[in-house]
Amino acid sequence: MPYLTAPEALESLLPGEPRYRVDQVREWLYRHPVLTAGEMTNLPRELRESLAPRLWPMRVEAEHVGDGGKTVKWLFRTPDGAAVEAVLMGYPRRTTLCISSQAGCAMRCTFCATGQFGFERHLQAGEIVAQVAYANAHLRAHPMEGAPPRVGNVVFMGMGEPLANYDNVREAIRRIIEVMGMSARAVTVSTVGITPGIDRLAREPWPVTLALSLHAADDHLREQLVPQNRRYPIDDLLAAARRFGDSHGRRVSLEWTLMADVNDGADQARALAAIALELGAHVNIIPMNPNPLSPQRRPTAERTRRFVDEVIRHGATATLRDTRGTDIDAACGQLRVRAATEGAPMGSPRNKVPAQDRAESPSNP
Ligand code: SF4
């Protein structure tokens, strides 16, 4: 499995091949990925045939297309049965890929579809990087109108808490930056707040972007939404965020999933603005995606607008993110929820769903 082997150790998979051939394979895997080994045109036929059945470490179980072809969601399945979700979003002049770092998640955030299923296992570095390579191969084969032909931003906001799978996520980041050639600033690691992991990340050589999934401005409410807050309360989290900012001169961002009658009131908006101002952080507000397994609900558009205005009125910078791919269950864990609650077809390969409505960022949840 080429992606499950470190790029520097590929020769172990290609015994007897000269160094330049190993370099060519590495180029195909990381710099110019293609969907099938048959497209690796400068390799001899026998080598292409030997790579073909083991090119990807997981198969595509479903591919859903929404937003007029501008959002693509994949449900991958590893040979041991783990489900992995990734969402590609094309915009004018940029493309963003949301990737998973774990199959399932142990954090059990109450509003998140993935959290309701519990933890399956950590993803290996190669399984994480393969999501980026596959999206690049897809863009090469199926360009998105107006969007660049490569993934421009990678966000760890799919299934899993990336800092709970630190070593594999670190190795994936290294390959994405040093082997694939992406900018560190184009990589965003989103966390509910594993503070030792934030401190480790701050010591790495890559100035990636850190996104804190805050969702509540006081410990009492946050413990109800993000159980992990009992272990790492808000003050600890903000202190770690400050240390991270100091280490690379990078501002963090605050993610806020907006839930009706839970965290969409004026008091939470004011407290959020105060935290953002103190941290010098930008706020991203994401109306909650529908999730039949969660007691929380999405607020109305009017209440959402009022919350955003209140945060801005108190001096913070904030962006309201639409939710991409609502029509294709693009938020993390939602394909699995649909399958579990409605018997949605997950077994048919490349199950394409046509675009319906406008929508936006899948984000976590
Ligand atoms: S929001 Fe993120 S950390 Fe929380 S349960 Fe979902 S995937 Fe895990």
Side-chain angles (χ1 to χ4, degrees):
M1 291 282 183
Y3 286 105
L4 299 186
T5 303
E8 296 78 10
L10 271 179
E11 56 269 27
S12 65
L13 292 183
L14 305 165
E17 296 290 345
R19 174 173 287 272
Y20 76 93
R21 281 275 182 246
V22 177
D23 291 342
Q24 285 173 327
V25 171
R26 192 181 299 111
E27 279 283 306
W28 283 117
L29 293 175
Y30 290 95
R31 291 286 183 156
H32 310 288
V34 282
L35 292 173
T36 63
E39 298 166 69
M40 299 176 171
T41 47
N42 59 355
L43 302 185
R45 186 167 53 83
E46 304 75 47
L47 183 52
R48 279 181 269 155
E49 285 174 357
S50 86
L51 283 172
R54 52 183 176 144
L55 179 58
W56 298 105
M58 42 207 179
R59 66 185 170 82
V60 179
E61 184 162 298
E63 178 183 280
H64 290 189
V65 181
D67 304 313
K70 299 287 176 61
T71 303
V72 183
K73 175 157 189 168
W74 292 287
L75 176 63
F76 300 105
R77 189 72 67 179
T78 63
D80 66 351
V84 179
E85 297 182 3
V87 185
L88 176 65
M89 293 156 285
Y91 302 89
R93 295 184 297 284
R94 73 189 163 92
T95 46
T96 295
L97 179 70
C98 178
I99 59 174
S100 298
S101 56
Q102 297 176 312
C105 183
M107 299 294 122
R108 296 200 173 275
C109 302
T110 57
F111 52 88
C112 168
T114 299
Q116 313 309 305
F117 278 96
F119 177 69
E120 280 185 64
R121 70 166 171 84
H122 294 310
L123 295 186
Q124 298 179 54
E127 292 169 327
I128 299 170
V129 170
Q131 297 169 60
V132 184
Y134 192 87
N136 273 326
H138 174 91
L139 278 169
R140 188 183 172 112
H142 309 284
M144 286 180 172
E145 192 185 338
R150 284 184 71 79
V151 172
N153 299 284
V154 169
V155 295
F156 282 84
M157 292 187 183
M159 291 164 57
E161 162 54 57
L163 298 183
N165 182 18
Y166 192 90
D167 291 342
N168 283 306
V169 167
R170 182 201 185 277
E171 171 61 10
I173 290 172
R174 183 190 76 80
R175 292 187 203 176
I176 289 168
I177 294 169
E178 295 187 354
V179 188
M180 286 182 159
M182 286 187 67
S183 154
R185 286 164 194 269
V187 176
T188 297
V189 176
S190 173
T191 178
V192 292
I194 311 283
T195 58
I198 294 174
D199 285 333
R200 283 181 77 184
L201 195 62
R203 291 193 293 272
E204 302 293 357
W206 314 289
V208 299
T209 300
L210 181 71
L212 296 183
S213 297
L214 194 61
H215 312 310
D218 62 78
D219 285 324
H220 179 70
L221 177 58
R222 194 164 191 267
E223 281 176 13
Q224 295 170 37
L225 303 175
V226 182
Q228 192 66 14
N229 194 77
R230 293 190 194 104
R231 191 159 179 203
Y232 303 112
I234 290 177
D235 282 351
D236 292 3
L237 180 58
L238 301 183
R242 266 179 234 112
R243 292 192 294 274
F244 182 89
D246 291 345
S247 70
H248 285 303
R250 299 282 288 142
R251 289 198 311 173
V252 302
S253 66
L254 299 175
E255 309 293 309
W256 189 277
T257 299
L258 200 63
M259 298 163 235
D261 302 319
V262 175
N263 65 352
D264 62 345
D267 54 341
Q268 287 290 314
R270 282 193 293 276
L272 167 61
I275 291 172
L277 280 174
E278 203 270 316
L279 268 187
H282 182 83
V283 178
N284 290 311
I285 296 162
I286 312 118
M288 181 186 168
N289 278 293
N291 172 5
L293 299 185
S294 168
Q296 286 92 17
R297 295 286 170 263
R298 186 186 190 116
T300 63
E302 186 199 336
R303 201 153 160 102
T304 299
R305 191 68 252 169
R306 213 182 306 152
F307 183 87
V308 175
D309 289 347
E310 190 73 1
V311 173
I312 293 171
R313 200 166 69 78
H314 283 83
T317 60
T319 304
L320 173 62
R321 284 160 56 185
D322 296 331
T323 39
R324 268 260 180 129
T326 311
D327 54 327
I328 56 167
D329 297 322
C332 117
Q334 300 233 324
L335 284 182
R336 298 172 79 207
V337 167
R338 194 156 69 90
T341 57
E342 298 174 12
M346 296 175 70
S348 51
R350 306 186 78 77
N351 174 19
K352 297 217 176 202
V353 174
Q356 302 271 334
D357 321 316
R358 184 183 176 279
E360 191 224 54
S361 141
S363 73
N364 213 359

